[in-house]
Amino acid sequence: MTSPESPTAPDAPGALAPRAFPMRRGCPFAAPAEYAALRTDEPVARVTLPTKREAWVVTRYDDVRELLSDPRASADIRRPGFPALGEGEQEAGARFRPFIRTDAPEHTRYRRMLLPAFTVRRVRAMRPAVQARVDEILDAMLDAGGPVDFVTAYANAVSTSVICELLGIPRHDLEFFRDVTRISGSRNSTAEQVSEALGGLFGLLAGLVAERREEPRDDLISKLVTDHLVPGNVTMDQLLSTLGITINAGRETTTSMIALSTLLLLDRPELPAQLRQDPSLMPAAVDELLRVLSVADSIPLRVAAEDIELSGVTVPADDGVIALLAGANHDPEQFDEPERVDFHRTDNHHVAFGYGVHQCIGQHLARLELEVALETLVRRVPTLRLAGERDQVVVKHDSATFGLDELMVTW
């Protein structure tokens, strides 16, 4: 996969053998320990993926931003060198074509379709509705009594409810959407399992699209049907794929962030105390939590369409390359004491939402959900605590998004 001209080609003097990837976190609130050594000794390093293919990983903040803004770094999942992390990922992606795994102009077209629903102004107007839904979900959790699985009862319920309400999906079995994402985002799922999970989701969405063609409403599905499907700008399959990835990406990362952030706040009670004392800190706290936790660490998967040089190393054309967001967000060259959680940190230009043309389109909505979900929890349930031992908390290591499978709490 590497060219003879590459400074780290396997036959080059002093070349290092590929490292196994992904690398596990020792602490859920920090990047894998290996990232620090890579930034210093091998900032552009060869790795062996779970699929047995080789690719490159990038860990320095400046290199990650440079790579993600480079038009030669392709996100097209159909390219042979695409660094899929699961056996079924590339096959399913090539079939369903999620727009985040495409390049311009295709990616640009779909992004423009969705952008009006995720502007700062539109999201700001959603705050009262999001607050009302969060209060309703928290009321239900408190009424049920502890101990309870916080991931199911609160984190997933909040993120799934908000994205479904935006799209216009009736309140459904919230665990259905979680199961779809769990299967489609797992590195252990086969192509058949991913296709079956997504097929169930697309079946639900196809029924809603048909309803909106007959009777449009004030929701995103209706808007996309009226403005893009009916005029023939997109096909039914393209619309379903766009809706599917909007749901999966929109709810999974936010679920992980709410749950992991809550665990961190429970571990470090001085932090929620700061937020109770000064609620105006919440927006900065959310950005700091996004930086520290970096749940979408290895989501930016790319293929070099041409040779790309980073930190003096050439990534040859057609090689896969992964921009590690947690590596960038814990780079001491960019962030002073990066492992420290500091709600007063200034100039927090993290890349938790990616960077460049593929930067997360739903980042304003994600910030709103996190602000409301965490502020409400800290304010209304000051006695929240773990139910059980800390080492019993189940962490997800084999998913596209880092997070928690379960978090048992009481109050």
Side-chain angles (χ1 to χ4, degrees), residues 344-384:
H344 296 273
R345 190 181 294 274
T346 57
D347 298 324
N348 189 355
H349 301 298
H350 62 76
V351 290
F353 291 113
Y355 191 71
V357 296
H358 281 82
Q359 189 174 40
C360 176
I361 195 171
Q363 61 178 294
H364 303 307
L365 180 59
R367 282 189 173 95
L368 171 64
E369 291 180 65
L370 291 168
E371 286 180 25
V372 174
L374 296 176
E375 186 279 332
T376 303
L377 193 70
V378 165
R379 170 172 48 83
R380 292 188 53 192
V381 199
T383 58
L384 189 74

Side-chain angles (χ1 to χ4, degrees), residues 219-359:
D219 56 48
L220 183 54
I221 291 180
S222 297
K223 181 72 172 173
L224 295 177
V225 167
T226 302
D227 293 354
H228 299 282
L229 181 65
V230 172
N233 300 331
V234 295
T235 66
M236 174 65 88
D237 285 347
Q238 290 169 336
L239 177 58
L240 294 179
S241 177
T242 301
L243 293 172
I245 191 60
T246 301
I247 293 170
N248 276 2
R251 58 150 304 283
E252 178 66 5
T253 51
T254 308
T255 296
S256 294
M257 276 298 306
I258 293 173
L260 266 179
S261 296
T262 299
L263 179 61
L264 189 153
L265 294 177
L266 292 178
D267 271 10
R268 305 177 189 181
E270 73 279 5
L271 295 177
Q274 289 180 30
L275 297 175
R276 292 188 192 99
Q277 183 177 3
D278 184 3
S280 69
L281 281 177
M282 186 56 72
V286 164
D287 267 308
E288 179 70 341
L289 292 167
L290 285 163
R291 181 193 69 80
V292 169
L293 300 176
S294 296
V295 299
D297 179 28
S298 57
I299 293 293
L301 307 176
R302 300 290 188 267
V303 180
E306 303 174 19
D307 288 0
I308 298 175
E309 184 175 326
L310 298 164
S311 285
V313 176
T314 299
V315 176
D318 300 324
D319 277 11
V321 57
I322 306 172
L324 297 178
L325 303 183
N329 284 335
H330 288 261
D331 187 343
E333 293 295 319
Q334 178 66 27
F335 303 100
D336 183 46
E337 297 182 67
E339 306 305 322
R340 176 170 52 89
V341 182
D342 182 2
F343 291 166
H344 296 273
R345 190 181 294 274
T346 57
D347 298 324
N348 189 355
H349 301 298
H350 62 76
V351 290
F353 291 113
Y355 191 71
V357 296
H358 281 82
Q359 189 174 40

Side-chain angles (χ1 to χ4, degrees), residues 27 57 68 77 100 102 105 134 148 150 189 207 239 268 319 341-342 349 388 397:
C27 169
V57 293
L68 294 181
I77 198 168
I100 66 170
T102 62
V134 166
V148 65
F150 181 84
S189 297
L239 177 58
R268 305 177 189 181
D319 277 11
V341 182
D342 182 2
H349 301 298
H397 284 291

